[in-house]
């Protein structure tokens, strides 16, 4: 896609720059044709057909290469194409710039170009265009805040302040203009001017909550908390439901280390019906982060969420955030429940479905994961990562035939578009065939995965483990792959366990003990570790420590209580090498 777009870009640049040198001036007929193609392109663009619009514009520029408006819209349309590179953005803005030079009076095109440059941090260019527009269109008041921001972005705060002053002379003082000016004044360090501008706004509306809260913000930033609290309290007296004053008080209390009053004001803010949901989500996110950093009780966060959800039961954002928080706590059951509510509200997001499947897998609720996976592919049949998650759910449920069918379907659908790493799919199939004892297909899929990605640590580890348990005549291959996996992820408990098993089978028991101890140290404490503890016991037994070996086998039996082999090892206090 990027290569194709770049070739198109070269063709456009050739048409816009080289053709005029070779072809001379376009005929009147060509200009009319170009104008017609241009109008058709604009129509297609407004209908949402960007590719068709782009093709028409490319045709138009071949007919009238010098037309600055056509060049402008080619550049503008290029920026709407998928996966535009930095080089292409630079070329697109260069095409748009031609129009601003040749037609400085085109308000809309110049205005959009200025916004674009500001968003790209090309502030000098944005300033050039905005200064020109402000002179030509002094009644267009939307230009002045943009021009002030552009000056400020370049550190020219005096010009930014002067621009806002000129706006206030014609339009009057507002909370927005005063806030902008105060912000610029803070950068100049003029404390007297900062306070004076806040008071001027307050003088205009002394009985309004907003100017009082703004004065509170000014004094808070000036490290004068007593004055800040006085103005915040005055704002709340004037308007008791003005929750943003509570929020600012909370932030100030937090900066002063007053956790009791911080909690009080945060709660008042979150329960305020006048605070919009996006702001509440931002507040909750900060609140959760603070609680986590301080190692504080999670009960307070849970209670906060449940209180807010009573007020906003159908707000997907809040439930999604609650699900994320519960996932962090590894409360996968309740995290899945909250995400289910999100999907009830809006079932169209495939990423939420994928996340739900994995949460239910983490909760060991494989039936529910499969049920969610089936629903997910109905809603989003082209989202291939859903099939990957569904296949793993079948694998965990030990429904191996359905898992194989799902992964085989994924291989076929993924073949041409490569949305999912094909090596991962083959690794998953290798793991399944290993479980059902199909050695030939297990090897076939593991080798296919390694051919695609020879450095995939997971594939290398799983294939190495398979060879240790099913093809011991290839122990040297297993050793090589296990070493490569460990080199990629030296603290992975599963990879350390595999390499310990390799060393055990090569009868290097001392070195095997070293690695199995590391594996135990880095094991995943959230999952069963029966194999690791069993290997640990086997190694200890071979080192002449049968009593210690039995204790490790007992640990293994806790994670795998149905193992007859482990029971025999414990009962007979001896190593047995029968297949599991």
């Amino acid at each position: 896609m990027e290569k194709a777009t770049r070739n198109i870009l070269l063709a456009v640049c050739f048409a816009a720059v080289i053709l005029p040198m070779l072809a001379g001036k376009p005929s009147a007929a060509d200009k009319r044709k170009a104008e017609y193609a241009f109008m058709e392109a604009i129509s297609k663009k407004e209908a949402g057909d960007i590719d068709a619009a782009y093709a028409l514009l490319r045709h138009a520029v071949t007919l009238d290469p010098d037309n600055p408006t056509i060049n402008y819209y080619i550049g503008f349309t290029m920026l709407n194409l998928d996966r535009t590179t930095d080089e292409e953005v630079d070329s697109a803005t260069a095409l748009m710039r031609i129009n601003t030079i040749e037609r400085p009076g085109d308000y809309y095109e110049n205005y959009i170009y200025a916004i674009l440059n500001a968003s790209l941090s090309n502030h000098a260019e944005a300033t050039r265009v905005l200064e020109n527009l402000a002179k030509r269109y002094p009644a267009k008041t939307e230009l002045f805040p943009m021009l002030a921001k552009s000056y400020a972005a370049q550190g020219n705060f005096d010009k930014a302040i002067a621009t806002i002053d000129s706006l206030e002379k014609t339009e009057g003082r507002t909370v927005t203009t005063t806030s902008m000016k105060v912000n610029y004044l803070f950068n100049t360090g003029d404390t007297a001017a900062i306070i004076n501008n806040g008071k001027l706004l307050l003088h205009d509306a002394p009985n309004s909550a907003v100017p009082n809260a703004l004065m509170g913000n000014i004094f808070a930033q000036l490290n004068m908390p007593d004055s800040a609290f006085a103005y915040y309290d005055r704002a709340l007296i004037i308007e008791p439901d003005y929750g943003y004053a509570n929020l600012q008080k909370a932030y100030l209390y937090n900066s002063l280390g007053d956790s009791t009053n911080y909690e009080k004001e945060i709660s008042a803010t979150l329960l305020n019906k006048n605070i919009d949901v996006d702001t509440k989500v931002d507040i909750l996110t900060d609140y959760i982060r603070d609680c986590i950093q301080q190692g504080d009780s999670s009960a307070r966060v849970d209670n906060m969420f449940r209180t807010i959800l009573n007020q906003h039961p159908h707000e997907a954002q809040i439930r999604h955030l609650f699900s994320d928080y519960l996932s962090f706590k590894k409360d996968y059951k309740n995290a899945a429940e909250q995400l289910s509510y999100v999907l009830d509200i809006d079932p169209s997001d495939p990423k939420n479905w994928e996340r739900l499947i994995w949460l239910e897998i983490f909760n060991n609720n494989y039936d529910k994961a499969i049920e969610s996976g089936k629903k997910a592919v109905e809603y989003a049949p082209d989202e291939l990562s859903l099939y990957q998650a569904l296949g793993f759910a079948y694998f965990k449920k030990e429904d191996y035939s359905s898992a194989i069918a799902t992964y085989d379907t994924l291989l076929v659908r993924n073949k041409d578009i490569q949305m999912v790493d094909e090596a991962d799919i083959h690794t998953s199939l290798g793991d399944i065939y290993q479980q059902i004892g199909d050695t030939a297909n297990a090897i076939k899929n593991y080798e296919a995965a390694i051919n695609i990605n020879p450095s995939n640590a997971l594939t290398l580890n799983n294939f190495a483990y398979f060879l240790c348990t099913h093809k011991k005549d290839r122990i040297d291959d297993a050793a090589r792959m296990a070493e490569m996996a460990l080199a990629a992820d030296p603290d992975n408990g599963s990879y350390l366990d595999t390499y310990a098993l390799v060393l055990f089978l090569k009868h290097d028991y001392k070195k095997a003990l070293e690695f199995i101890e590391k594996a135990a140290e880095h094991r995943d404490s959230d999952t069963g570790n029966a194999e690791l503890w069993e290997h640990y016991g086997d190694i200890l037994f071979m080192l002449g420590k049968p009593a210690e070996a039995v204790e490790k086998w007992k640990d293994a039996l806790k994670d795998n209580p149905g193992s007859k082999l482990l029971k025999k090892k414990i009962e007979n206090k001896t190593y047995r090498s029968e297949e599991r």
Side-chain angles (χ1 to χ4, degrees), residues 252-309:
L252 185 51
Y253 278 127
N254 195 38
S255 70
L256 297 171
D258 187 341
S259 59
T260 301
N261 279 309
Y262 167 70
E263 288 282 338
K264 175 186 171 184
E265 298 299 338
I266 280 290
S267 297
T269 305
L270 292 172
L271 294 175
N272 190 306
K273 294 180 180 179
N274 295 325
I275 300 292
D276 63 273
V277 170
D278 288 343
T279 300
K280 288 185 178 182
V281 169
D282 290 341
I283 295 167
L284 276 168
T285 302
D286 290 340
Y287 181 76
I288 292 166
R289 188 183 298 114
D290 287 343
C291 287
I292 290 170
Q293 289 175 349
Q294 295 168 15
D296 212 338
S297 169
S298 63
R300 291 190 303 133
V301 179
D302 291 353
N303 290 335
M304 187 77 77
F305 268 113
R306 299 194 189 283
T307 301
I308 295 168
L309 284 171

Side-chain angles (χ1 to χ4, degrees), residues 105-352:
D106 286 353
Y107 180 79
Y108 174 79
E109 286 81 1
N110 279 268
Y111 182 66
I112 295 298
Y113 178 71
I115 292 174
L116 169 66
N117 277 279
S119 70
L120 295 172
S121 298
N122 298 333
H123 299 297
E125 180 68 357
T127 300
R128 178 187 71 79
V129 176
L130 289 168
E131 285 178 337
N132 165 63
L133 289 177
K135 288 176 184 177
R136 290 173 179 270
Y137 301 97
K140 296 284 189 181
T141 56
E142 68 270 17
L143 293 170
F144 293 89
M146 284 183 59
L147 180 56
K149 290 176 184 177
S150 191
Y151 283 136
Q154 298 171 85
N156 196 337
F157 297 109
D158 289 338
K159 277 193 173 183
I161 293 165
T163 301
I164 297 300
D165 281 338
S166 67
L167 178 61
E168 288 184 336
K169 285 177 183 177
T170 59
E171 298 299 313
R173 202 167 17 244
T174 67
V175 172
T176 300
T177 58
T178 299
S179 297
M180 290 181 70
K181 193 155 48 165
V182 164
N183 183 47
Y184 302 146
L185 286 165
F186 266 108
N187 284 278
T188 68
D190 190 343
T191 302
I194 292 167
I195 296 172
N196 183 57
N197 274 274
K199 286 185 175 180
L200 286 172
L201 181 67
L202 186 61
H203 180 268
D204 293 342
N207 295 318
S208 174
V210 177
N212 280 280
L214 178 59
M215 285 301 299
N217 292 345
I218 288 171
F219 283 113
Q221 199 165 343
L222 291 171
N223 295 316
M224 300 170 69
D226 291 340
S227 296
F229 283 128
Y231 278 103
Y232 291 142
D233 289 339
R234 185 176 175 190
L236 288 166
I237 290 170
I238 295 168
E239 190 177 335
D241 289 333
Y242 187 61
Y244 290 95
N246 293 110
L247 179 59
Q248 296 305 321
K249 285 181 72 176
Y251 290 151
L252 185 51
Y253 278 127
N254 195 38
S255 70
L256 297 171
D258 187 341
S259 59
T260 301
N261 279 309
Y262 167 70
E263 288 282 338
K264 175 186 171 184
E265 298 299 338
I266 280 290
S267 297
T269 305
L270 292 172
L271 294 175
N272 190 306
K273 294 180 180 179
N274 295 325
I275 300 292
D276 63 273
V277 170
D278 288 343
T279 300
K280 288 185 178 182
V281 169
D282 290 341
I283 295 167
L284 276 168
T285 302
D286 290 340
Y287 181 76
I288 292 166
R289 188 183 298 114
D290 287 343
C291 287
I292 290 170
Q293 289 175 349
Q294 295 168 15
D296 212 338
S297 169
S298 63
R300 291 190 303 133
V301 179
D302 291 353
N303 290 335
M304 187 77 77
F305 268 113
R306 299 194 189 283
T307 301
I308 295 168
L309 284 171
N310 284 335
Q311 188 183 69
H312 301 284
H314 305 299
E315 287 294 344
Q317 282 180 281
I318 297 175
R319 290 197 179 274
H320 202 296
L321 181 61
F322 195 17
S323 176
D324 290 346
Y325 170 68
L326 292 167
S327 298
F328 173 80
K329 287 174 55 183
K330 299 181 180 177
D331 183 355
Y332 301 122
K333 179 182 177 181
N334 285 312
E337 180 184 5
Q338 291 300 321
L339 198 56
S340 294
Y341 292 139
V342 173
L343 286 161
D344 286 342
I345 297 167
D346 177 13
S348 64
D349 189 341
K351 293 302 178 187
N352 281 340

Side-chain angles (χ1 to χ4, degrees), residues 484-518:
M484 289 175 66
L486 261 185
D489 191 355
D491 292 329
N492 186 299
S494 178
Y495 299 175
L496 288 161
D497 176 40
T498 298
Y499 192 54
L501 178 60
V502 168
L503 294 168
F504 176 83
L505 294 173
K506 292 171 80 72
H507 308 297
D508 190 347
Y509 302 125
K510 282 189 176 181
K511 196 170 182 182
L513 179 63
E514 175 188 337
F515 279 89
I516 202 68
E517 286 173 344
K518 290 180 182 177

Side-chain angles (χ1 to χ4, degrees), residues 13-86:
C13 289
F14 179 81
V17 178
I18 305 299
L19 284 182
M21 301 177 189
L22 302 178
K25 295 291 184 180
S27 67
D30 281 343
K31 284 189 174 185
R32 285 195 300 272
K33 291 176 184 177
E35 186 71 19
Y36 177 77
F38 172 74
M39 296 306 296
E40 281 292 303
I42 297 302
S43 177
K44 292 291 185 182
K45 177 183 172 295
E46 289 177 352
D49 192 345
I50 299 298
D51 291 335
Y54 194 40
L56 285 163
L57 287 167
R58 287 168 54 209
H59 176 59
V61 82
T62 61
L63 295 168
D64 190 1
D66 287 330
N67 190 307
T69 303
I70 294 174
N71 278 298
Y72 175 93
Y73 278 96
I74 284 179
F76 183 76
T77 307
M78 283 169 55
L79 296 173
N80 288 278
L81 296 175
D82 291 335
R83 298 173 63 187
T84 308
T85 66
D86 290 343

